[in-house]
Amino acid sequence: MINIVNFTRSDEEKVLDLWKKICIDEHGFYEWEDYLNETHHEEYIVFFVVKDSDNDNVLGTIALSRIDDNAVELKRLYVDPNSRGKGVAKLLIETVMNYVKENSYKKIILETYDRFEVAVAFYKKNEFKEVKRIDEKIFFEKEINY
């Protein structure tokens, strides 16, 4: 069974291990290694973690940063490769969408990289619209309809 909870400092080591596993080991973002030594949790208005209730392992993360009264930026959506296809990302995005609607935001933006092919497909499936590309970065937006 999995649980989604608010990030706490006690999660930090497992969260950082997950991010490094995906960004460095899986996708080769070696230049991010120093940046991935901190969660930068203070930058987020919400930061959710999905945990395996049997062993407390972190299976996924997602966060939001406030842009202004109308918009937020989706950050840190990562799912452990062994947990993909099991509904973890769907749970994370649904949780964030509920937060966005409860707080009356009108738009979610995000940026990702074309090498995160699974993430790009996930965003498109969840009705995020690609708005531009700069080199290997892809920028998405989603208008929130009430």
Side-chain angles (χ1 to χ4, degrees):
M1 176 176 247
I2 60 174
N3 296 317
I4 189 160
V5 297
N6 286 306
F7 168 86
T8 64
R9 292 290 290 205
S10 65
D11 300 319
E12 191 160 39
E13 186 176 334
K14 290 180 180 180
V15 165
L16 292 172
D17 287 346
L18 172 66
W19 293 353
K20 288 175 186 176
K21 178 180 181 180
I22 295 168
C23 294
I24 297 170
D25 299 344
E26 185 177 355
H27 293 286
F29 275 105
Y30 297 101
E31 66 273 20
W32 287 8
E33 194 161 9
D34 288 339
Y35 180 72
L36 293 171
N37 286 325
E38 293 181 57
T39 57
H40 306 276
H41 67 276
E42 65 279 352
E43 298 175 17
Y44 311 127
I45 56 174
V46 292
F47 185 0
F48 297 108
V49 177
V50 172
K51 294 182 176 183
D52 184 323
S53 58
D54 293 331
N55 56 26
D56 210 37
N57 285 342
V58 172
L59 306 178
T61 64
I62 197 167
L64 290 174
S65 292
R66 184 180 178 277
I67 295 173
D68 59 33
D69 290 344
N70 295 311
V72 291
E73 182 175 9
L74 185 106
K75 309 284 279 184
R76 303 297 191 178
L77 176 53
Y78 293 107
V79 175
D80 185 279
N82 297 323
S83 298
R84 293 180 188 153
K86 298 178 181 176
V88 173
K90 182 178 180 185
L91 175 63
L92 287 164
I93 203 75
E94 287 173 352
T95 302
V96 160
M97 292 303 297
N98 288 337
Y99 179 89
V100 165
K101 289 178 179 178
E102 288 168 5
N103 290 278
S104 303
Y105 290 105
K106 295 175 178 44
K107 185 190 314 187
I108 302 173
I109 66 164
L110 68 93
E111 66 181 64
T112 191
Y113 289 80
D114 56 10
R115 70 175 92 173
F116 291 143
E117 295 170 1
V118 172
V120 170
F122 178 78
Y123 294 132
K124 288 179 179 179
K125 178 180 173 184
N126 283 277
E127 300 176 345
F128 284 83
K129 305 294 181 215
E130 184 178 325
V131 292
K132 70 179 173 181
R133 287 181 183 242
I134 299 174
D135 299 322
E136 62 178 307
K137 281 188 180 180
I138 306 171
F139 298 84
F140 287 94
E141 289 184 358
K142 182 172 183 162
E143 299 290 331
I144 307 303
N145 299 313
Y146 293 93

